[in-house]
Amino acid sequence: MRKIIYPFVLAGLVGCQTTSQAPVPNDPSWHVGQLENGMTYHIYPSDKDDAVSVRLAFNVGSLQETDAQLGYAHFLEHMAFNGSTHFDNNDIDAYFSSIGVTMGHGANAFTGEYQTVYFVDLPNKSSLDRSMTWFADIAYGLNLDAKAIDGEIGVVYGEWLHRAGEGKPYGQAIYEHIASQSQLGSRKPIGTDVSIKSVNKEKLTEFYEKWYQPQLAHIVVSGDVKQQEVIDLLKEKFGIWEKGTTPNPERYTAPSFTSEPVLLHDSGADGASTAYVFDLGPAAISNEEELYEDWAEDAVLSLINKEISETMVGITGNAEGAQVYVLAAGNREYLVIRAAFPSEMRDDVQSAVSRKIANLRDVSTSEEEVGSLRWYPNFKNYVLEADANVTTKERTDFYLNGLLTAYPVQSVDEMMDLRLAWSRYLTREKFNHHKRTLLSSPATIYAFYTKDETVHQVDKSVEVANNLLLEKGKSNQSKGKQFLASATGSGEVVAERIIGKDLYVWSLSNGMEVWYQDNPKAGDEVRMAIGAKGGRSLLTSDLNGASYLLFDSLVLSGVAGLNAQELLIYINDRGLGVWQDITPTRHAFHAFAYRQNLNDVLVLMHHALSEPNFDEKALKLAKSKLTQEAYTFANSSNGIFDQGVFNWLRGDNGAYQFASAGDVMLTSVEQLESVHRAFFNKGNAPALYISANVDANRLKRAVAKNIASIQLKEDAGIPTNTQQSQWAKDVSPVLSTSSEEKNKALSALYVLSDVQNDRDAKTVFIDEMINRIADMRTFNEVREAQSLTYTPSVWELSVDNEAKTGWGFAAVVEPTNAKRATEAFEEIVADLGKGISVAEFDAVSKQVREAMQDNDVNADAQTNMYSRYLFNGWGVDALLDVDKTVESITYDDVNDRVKSIFGANSKLVKGYNMPQGEFAPE
């Protein structure tokens, strides 16, 4: 979405048919019109499913506030949930919960610099009329009760407190520094602590009446609706809303920004890193030429990301240490190229990345590489397939994003026509010109340093990196295309069964099982996970560090003749993704591929399980990466507290302990081999789950060749963990640390129960219902009733298949409210111990039914869900028929389990993380 016009470029394109000043048409399936009062509607009727999504957007954000109104747009957003003409107090929360909509996820709002948006995703249109009544109330019927405003001040201040402090992620720190150079710096949507606490009814009402006017509003409706019916409903609900006189505000564009290198102390959020930031100019797409430029820049970013990732692997062994993305700020966009690294490798990494950027800028990219970034006619089938699988919510959000950013939303046909024309436009010369222009603008270097570095050292290192960036780039040696050796050994599918019409189960000759879900919604994507029940609970404590190092060491050691860099090129060229998921009770490798590269990812999985080739050099790189991550986390406020809590609650069971720097550094190659053999062996043969939309017979043949041929080793000789998972016997009733930032405290309550944990799928569903009930009660009490915080949280403390269950409650509050928050949690737990209401049971039953129905929405979601159930031994029947599973759960099932977990026999442990120098309340 960048508009970059260069006079010398335009002169060279005179007479060419590859660019056009013609406007880019929006998808005609979206019907756009206005009510008589000036309110604009956008309607997309679809009978694809029953869902209906609604978005109400106002052209008002923090940039429309005066110095006396800081944070008002955001505060007003909060008040939409605190009483209106047709919904008293927080009744809208109860209404949405009663129809199966989860507050926060299915109904919420957000405020930015330019807009305020309210949204709801409904399971069906039966509740559209009542929901539209609430949207109309937002427009012209909010109560803005003085008492409710006073109560909400504590909630909004809690949100400010949650976001304040030094521990900001690098992206937020960069944004705030850029924003500080323009009007954005004094117009944060959240406001200031002073402005929040001074909000009153008179001032807020004045702001509401000025900016909530129909000519400033857009309503977006998509899903199972009829166009005229929606228009009639809008006229009924919004017709009496009188047109105002406030003009639509002009969209503010921040001035161009460059700076001398910026050194920022990392307070434990991300560790050492350096980011190169290039100003791409104002964001605007008004015609085809600007759209082509935008797409060309996206193609350039794709190449940059690939090259920087490969560079990082060669130095740190960590491809994930490279991030390339576009940051938006003040209607401008910035290219961010970031490298994260152990602090002792700063000089090497910065020098290498600076040279790589200079090379990318000054050395032409080959025609073969550019050709791989173009679009071709056969892509249309993939695009049509992807479009057919877009959910109502996704389509609505995509359209809304285009509306808010003035980016065209095209039909598939129009987009393909333009993409093919763009591909003809994107010659090698034009691609290299775009690349050179993007990387020739002055870069601002942001260096984040840790406490073991000095400012002087970092400043000198950055100066060297900056000078290297200005040198002329040198030609790179061609890497060539990489190939992975074919699978070794042999195997076969010895049995097949089909469950329903689309779930295939193949038993293999090596003892493994493959579960293939033929999911049309997967489109062109293939997702898989190979693993089993066990995880770190299989290992003795001395192997804990090796379990964290396993996957990185395996990849960095190379696979089937390819070294680490060659393997990354193989992975990047084919668009593959691989990662590990190891918990105290489950272990797995996950992978992603596109359909055309299905065989490539299966070959990779074969070698990862059959032929690990760990070496010392790779282990050293993996240790460096993990030690930095462990160091960064261990020295953060959350890390200090979390490690203490886990150590206190779990005793000395290594399966539940974080890997210390000592554990990591003492790990040997032999220990890596032991962990790999413990996880993937004949005695505990892993299963492979695949979600895709490919021909089952084709996949079956590929599985026989690549997966059935995996040679699983015997598990003899591997020491095993004999400790049973249990809560520490002598844990103190109060656990505390003092590592939090000033004016901020974390209050927590842990419920340690002797009730058996989730041993079957039905119990997992019941615990999901319990979580939602506990969450609603906590939200209503801690946030709404007592105004102690913005986001209290509730979660299941125990992990899958652990013997006993446990739950946690937590909130970030002002230190003076720390004790009051834990007392509120204790009251909530005591009330839960008495049982739940039928109304609560009915509400969460609907919510879980709706949430779980979408477990096949795409290959990613389906694989995460099904592999979890499969590897834990719960089976997948509960997921195949969610309605039946939910209907099998009775009120007594949930009520009895709630009373058992939160009853008098459970142990309560309070947790506090206070500001440095302050003690926990008595």
Side-chain angles (χ1 to χ4, degrees), residues 81 95 200 213 224 296 567 603 617 629 638 672 684 753 794:
F81 298 85
Y95 170 69
N200 62 51
Q213 297 181 5
D224 184 24
L567 181 59
V603 171
K617 182 179 178 181
E629 292 174 354
N638 289 339
L672 290 174
N684 187 29
S753 172
V794 180

Side-chain angles (χ1 to χ4, degrees), residues 599-663:
N599 196 66
D600 296 316
V601 75
L602 289 173
V603 171
L604 183 58
M605 296 295 257
H606 167 93
H607 290 300
L609 266 66
S610 279
E611 304 165 359
N613 184 33
F614 301 107
D615 67 49
E616 292 288 352
K617 182 179 178 181
L619 176 57
K620 184 178 180 180
L621 282 173
K623 285 180 178 179
S624 179
K625 173 191 171 186
L626 184 58
T627 301
Q628 178 65 28
E629 292 174 354
Y631 174 85
T632 299
F633 177 69
N635 286 278
S636 68
S637 172
N638 289 339
I640 293 170
F641 179 73
D642 286 354
Q643 289 184 92
V645 167
F646 274 84
N647 287 336
W648 286 322
L649 296 182
R650 298 291 186 176
D652 59 352
N653 192 332
Y656 299 90
Q657 303 300 322
F658 294 98
S660 67
D663 292 335

Side-chain angles (χ1 to χ4, degrees), residues 56 58 80-81 84 118 133-142 208 212:
L56 177 61
F58 292 91
F81 298 85
S84 61
Y118 302 86
T133 298
W134 176 62
F135 282 111
D137 277 2
I138 294 171
Y140 57 87
L142 294 184
Y208 176 49
Y212 278 45

